[in-house]
Amino acid sequence: QITLKESGPTLVKPTQTLTVTCTFSGFSLSTTGEGVGWIRQPPGKALEWLGLIYWDDDKRYNPSLKSRLAITKDTSENQVVLTMTDMDPVDTASYYCAHRFFGVHAFDIWGQGTMVTVSS
Amino acid sequence: QSALTQPPSASGSPGQSVTISCTGTSGDVGGYNYVSWYQQHPGKAPKLLIYEVTKRPSGVPDRFSGSKSGNTASLTVSGLQAEDEADYYCITYAGMKDVFGTGTKVTVL
């Protein structure tokens, strides 16, 4: 059974860097085909794709946010980390991680999400 | 990147069917058979309903079905039930990126 859970700060100040960790179980990012994606959702608004990372360290990013994003993995700890620099109030959102298998191109299992507010 | 266009809302009475469209371009929806659909209840994480345009994960009722014609994908919910009231999103793989839909709120009258 695959599960994912996001953790990180609930409040960050403008211009700061956000770090959110996705801790998962039920699969390994050392296994061919496995991947984890990141998606966010501002309150009352639509989902937005941020990026994803695959078992082979292949990384894909939303082109409009690419300069601010970094996704890394710690295979031994079963964790994926999302880093977003220069946070702004418009980045206030719930941040989700989700499981993905290469070639299927869908997010089949999602974490519960973590709400991040950007405010001074 | 431009989001996929979905109608903001759709509605139907219990037992009826509702169809939600998801319109993109030849570079995303039209170019790949990798459209997926998600259901999201308030305060909850999205749930996968359909992947690769027409496939249902195990456990998803066959009331949910997907299709695609040209640059437009569609999700049909047949036999509407009260618990189907939720937001629905389409997502498509588009090469080196994903493109998300604008979301549709389905109301069961």
Side-chain angles (χ1 to χ4, degrees):
Chain A
Q1 179 190 2
I2 290 174
T3 64
L4 307 97
K5 187 174 183 179
E6 307 84 353
S7 59
T10 58
L11 179 67
V12 298
K13 297 184 187 307
T15 75
Q16 286 187 336
T17 295
L18 171 69
T19 300
V20 185
T21 299
C22 176
T23 303
F24 57 85
S25 62
F27 69 99
S28 172
L29 271 178
S30 62
T31 300
T32 298
E34 297 290 3
V36 172
W38 286 97
I39 304 98
R40 71 177 180 180
Q41 185 174 38
K45 296 188 177 181
L47 301 170
E48 180 181 29
W49 181 69
L50 298 179
L52 55 84
I53 188 168
Y54 284 113
W55 82 101
D56 59 356
D57 213 36
D58 180 16
K59 302 169 190 177
R60 317 280 178 91
Y61 295 107
N62 182 324
S64 63
L65 295 168
K66 185 176 182 179
S67 63
R68 300 173 53 207
L69 293 175
I71 299 175
T72 59
K73 61 181 175 68
D74 184 334
T75 304
S76 63
E77 294 292 329
N78 281 348
Q79 291 181 331
V80 171
V81 176
L82 171 75
T83 303
M84 180 178 288
T85 61
D86 195 23
M87 293 292 284
D88 183 272
V90 300
D91 297 314
T92 294
S94 290
Y95 286 76
Y96 295 96
C97 62
H99 174 262
R100 180 157 167 149
F101 196 84
F102 186 83
V104 176
H105 301 303
F107 296 108
D108 57 346
I109 306 295
W110 294 61
Q112 64 188 24
T114 186
M115 181 65 196
V116 178
T117 300
V118 184
S119 175
S120 56
Chain B
Q1 65 184 42
S2 297
L4 306 177
T5 301
Q6 298 181 233
S9 63
S11 63
S13 299
Q16 290 186 332
S17 294
V18 64
T19 297
I20 304 166
S21 61
C22 169
T23 301
T25 68
S26 58
D28 41 59
V29 174
Y32 302 88
N33 288 320
Y34 289 119
V35 177
S36 52
W37 288 92
Y38 301 79
Q39 177 191 62
Q40 186 182 33
H41 288 108
K44 300 294 187 182
K47 172 189 173 184
L48 177 65
L49 295 176
I50 298 286
Y51 67 102
E52 293 180 1
V53 180
T54 61
K55 298 178 180 178
R56 273 188 314 275
S58 61
V60 173
D62 60 7
R63 304 187 294 105
F64 295 92
S65 61
S67 62
K68 192 185 87 166
S69 178
N71 298 337
T72 298
S74 298
L75 172 74
T76 298
V77 185
S78 305
L80 267 176
Q81 299 181 5
E83 59 262 36
D84 299 332
E85 185 160 296
D87 293 326
Y88 292 81
Y89 293 91
C90 60
I91 300 175
T92 187
Y93 172 76
M96 293 295 288
K97 64 184 180 184
D98 285 356
V99 184
F100 279 37
T102 51
T104 298
K105 181 175 180 58
V106 169
T107 301
V108 181
L109 302 171

